[in-house]
C-alpha cells in the first residue's frame, strides 16, 4: 500500500509561499491546500485548491478539518497588530483541529534569539506572538523559520517571486548602485527563497520534533564581500554611497513612535543589518541542517548568480 499523503495548508500565500507551493507540488508525499481571502489565477493555473476565508479561527478550522490538514504554514506579512490577531486565530484553529497540530507562523528573520526585537517592527509583532506560542501552544507543535536576507534580492526581479525592496536591500540592481550601511563589514546571512521553501517541505515531512526556532542559510558574509562578488560576476563596478551607523541609529531613535511608516521601517532594516541581527547563528544552523535538512542544498551567492545566468523566468 502506498503511504498516505499529508495535506499541508498554506495561509495568506504571497511571494515566499509560492516557492513552498511549488516545492510541495513536486513532492508526492503532499497535497497542497491554500487558505486565502480571495482567488488568484496563479493557484488555479496549477490546480491548487483555494479555500476562501476571513482568517477567523472558525473559518480556518473548518478548512483544516475538512481537508485533514496536518500542518498550517502562514505567510501573512503584516507589521501591525493584525499580525498577532490573525496568528492567534491560526493557533486557536490548530488547537481545536482534529488533525492539524503543527503551525509555522510567518517570520523569515535573522538571529531572533539574540535580537528578538530586530527589526523593530518585528519586535512589536513577531516577538509578542513568539511569547504567545511559548506560553499557550499546548499540543500544537510550532517553529519559526529564520533565514537572514533572501538571496533573491541579488537577482533581477523577473527571476524571483520575491518583490524587490530597494529601500531596504543595499544593492539596487535596476539602478546598479549600492548603499553601504555602517562599515559594510557587519556580518550577514543570505538564503535563496526557493531553498528556504525546500527546507520547509523537509520539516513538514520530518517526524522529528520541531524546535521553536529553525535556522537556514546559504551563505554567511558581509555586504562588502557581496558587492565584490557582484562586481566580479558582472565585470562591472558598482557605484557606492555610505550611510554611517550613527546616522541610522539617530533616525530610528527619533522615529520609534512612527514605525508604521514604510520609510521608517526601511531604516529600521538598516539598523537590523548594522546590528548584525540578520546573521543566523552558524553553529545552530549547521546542527539543524544535519538534523533536518540532509536532502537540501543551500547555495552560495556565486552559485545562484551562475545558475541564474541566461535563465528566463523564476530561478
Amino acid at each position: 500500500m502506498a503511504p498516505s499523503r499529508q495535506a499541508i495548508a498554506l495561509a495568506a500565500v504571497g511571494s515566499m509561499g509560492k516557492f513552498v507551493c511549488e516545492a510541495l507540488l513536486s513532492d508526492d508525499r503532499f497535497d497542497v491546500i491554500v487558505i486565502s481571502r480571495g482567488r488568484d489565477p496563479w493557484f488555479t493555473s496549477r490546480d491548487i485548491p483555494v479555500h476562501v476565508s476571513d482568517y477567523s479561527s472558525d473559518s480556518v478550522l473548518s478548512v483544516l478539518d475538512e481537508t485533514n490538514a496536518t500542518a498550517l504554514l502562514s505567510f501573512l506579512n503584516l507589521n501591525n497588530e493584525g499580525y498577532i490577531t490573525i496568528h492567534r486565530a491560526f493557533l486557536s484553529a490548530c488547537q481545536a483541529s482534529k488533525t492539524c497540530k503543527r503551525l509555522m507562523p510567518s517570520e523569515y528573520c535573522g538571529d531572533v534569539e539574540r535580537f528578538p526585537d530586530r527589526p523593530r517592527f518585528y519586535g512589536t509583532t513577531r516577538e509578542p506572538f513568539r511569547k504567545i506560542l511559548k506560553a499557550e501552544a499546548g499540543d500544537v507543535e510550532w517553529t519559526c523559520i529564520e533565514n537572514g536576507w533572501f538571496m533573491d534580492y541579488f537577482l533581477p526581479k523577473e527571476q524571483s517571486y520575491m518583490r524587490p525592496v530597494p529601500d531596504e536591500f543595499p544593492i539596487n540592481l535596476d539602478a546598479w548602485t549600492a548603499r553601504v550601511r555602517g562599515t559594510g563589514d557587519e556580518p550577514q546571512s543570505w538564503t535563496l527563497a526557493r531553498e528556504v521553501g525546500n527546507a520547509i517541505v523537509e520539516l513538514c515531512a520530518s517526524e522529528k520534533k520541531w524546535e521553536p526556532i529553525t535556522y537556514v542559510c546559504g551563505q554567511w558574509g558581509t555586504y562588502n564581500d557581496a558587492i565584490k562578488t557582484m562586481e566580479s560576476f558582472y565585470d562591472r563596478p558598482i557605484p557606492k554611497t555610505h550611510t554611517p551607523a550613527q546616522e541610522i541609529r539617530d533616525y530610528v531613535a527619533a522615529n520609534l513612535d512612527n514605525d508604521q511608516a514604510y520609510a521608517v521601517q526601511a531604516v529600521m532594516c538598516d539598523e537590523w543589518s548594522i546590528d548584525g541581527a540578520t546573521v543566523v547563528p552558524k553553529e545552530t544552523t549547521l546542527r539543524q541542517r544535519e538534523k533536518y535538512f540532509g536532502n537540501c542544498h543551500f547555495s552560495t551567492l556565486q552559485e545562484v548568480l551562475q545558475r541564474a545566468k541566461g535563465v528566463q523566468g523564476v530561478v
Side-chain angles (χ1 to χ4, degrees), residues 1 70 74 176 200 209 274 290:
M1 179 183 294
T70 58
S74 170
W176 194 247
I200 288 171
K209 184 174 176 58
I274 64 171
E290 183 176 353

Side-chain angles (χ1 to χ4, degrees), residues 90-147:
F90 291 167
L91 174 60
S92 177
C94 290
Q95 289 170 325
S97 174
K98 296 174 291 186
T99 60
C100 187
K101 295 301 179 183
R102 279 180 158 180
L103 173 64
M104 193 178 293
S106 178
E107 281 262 343
Y108 312 107
C109 196
D111 188 347
V112 299
E113 292 172 293
R114 290 181 59 222
F115 301 94
D117 62 345
R118 294 292 189 273
R120 301 265 184 167
F121 50 89
Y122 271 34
T124 57
T125 55
R126 275 65 171 175
E127 175 59 8
F129 188 66
R130 293 178 206 128
K131 290 180 178 178
I132 290 168
L133 286 169
K134 291 172 185 176
E136 303 177 17
D139 65 346
V140 177
E141 191 173 34
W142 59 276
T143 192
C144 299
I145 302 293
E146 317 297 354
N147 56 276

Side-chain angles (χ1 to χ4, degrees), residues 260-279:
Q260 290 307 299
Y262 178 68
V264 175
Q265 292 182 352
V267 182
M268 288 177 171
C269 287
D270 291 352
E271 181 191 39
W272 180 50
S273 283
I274 64 171
D275 283 349
T278 69
V279 64

Side-chain angles (χ1 to χ4, degrees), residues 40-264:
D40 186 316
W42 193 92
F43 302 114
T44 55
S45 67
R46 290 161 175 79
D47 295 324
I48 298 174
V50 176
H51 297 257
V52 176
S53 168
D54 61 5
Y55 296 155
S56 65
S57 177
D58 287 346
S59 173
V60 173
L61 173 61
S62 68
V63 177
L64 299 180
D65 282 352
E66 175 188 338
T67 60
N68 293 316
T70 58
L72 174 59
L73 316 181
S74 170
F75 300 93
L76 182 76
N77 187 21
L78 289 178
N79 295 322
N80 54 39
E81 287 187 2
Y83 176 92
I84 301 171
T85 301
I86 294 174
H87 276 88
R88 270 191 175 276
F90 291 167
L91 174 60
S92 177
C94 290
Q95 289 170 325
S97 174
K98 296 174 291 186
T99 60
C100 187
K101 295 301 179 183
R102 279 180 158 180
L103 173 64
M104 193 178 293
S106 178
E107 281 262 343
Y108 312 107
C109 196
D111 188 347
V112 299
E113 292 172 293
R114 290 181 59 222
F115 301 94
D117 62 345
R118 294 292 189 273
R120 301 265 184 167
F121 50 89
Y122 271 34
T124 57
T125 55
R126 275 65 171 175
E127 175 59 8
F129 188 66
R130 293 178 206 128
K131 290 180 178 178
I132 290 168
L133 286 169
K134 291 172 185 176
E136 303 177 17
D139 65 346
V140 177
E141 191 173 34
W142 59 276
T143 192
C144 299
I145 302 293
E146 317 297 354
N147 56 276
W149 285 99
F150 285 110
M151 201 176 284
D152 304 54
Y153 298 138
F154 289 106
L155 297 174
K157 58 188 174 184
E158 63 271 13
Q159 291 191 313
S160 178
Y161 294 128
M162 306 303 295
R163 298 188 183 115
V165 286
D167 293 328
E168 301 172 31
F169 196 68
I171 298 174
N172 185 324
L173 286 185
D174 287 340
W176 194 247
T177 57
R179 183 171 60 87
V180 179
R181 291 88 59 93
T183 65
D185 287 327
E186 296 84 1
Q188 311 290 323
S189 56
W190 308 281
T191 317
L192 190 68
R194 185 174 297 284
E195 293 173 353
V196 177
N198 294 341
I200 288 171
V201 170
E202 286 304 307
L203 275 179
C204 290
S206 178
E207 295 182 358
K208 297 174 183 175
K209 184 174 176 58
W210 288 357
E211 298 180 26
I213 307 296
T214 303
Y215 295 106
V216 293
C217 181
Q219 181 173 332
W220 288 270
T222 71
Y223 272 112
N224 285 338
D225 295 334
I227 290 169
K228 289 176 184 175
T229 298
M230 295 287 284
E231 290 177 324
S232 174
F233 184 83
Y234 287 102
D235 193 24
R236 181 183 175 193
I238 301 177
K240 305 168 192 66
T241 59
H242 293 78
T243 304
Q246 194 59 50
E247 180 180 323
I248 293 167
R249 298 190 198 284
D250 290 346
Y251 182 92
V252 170
N255 288 277
L256 290 177
D257 294 333
N258 194 27
D259 68 352
Q260 290 307 299
Y262 178 68
V264 175

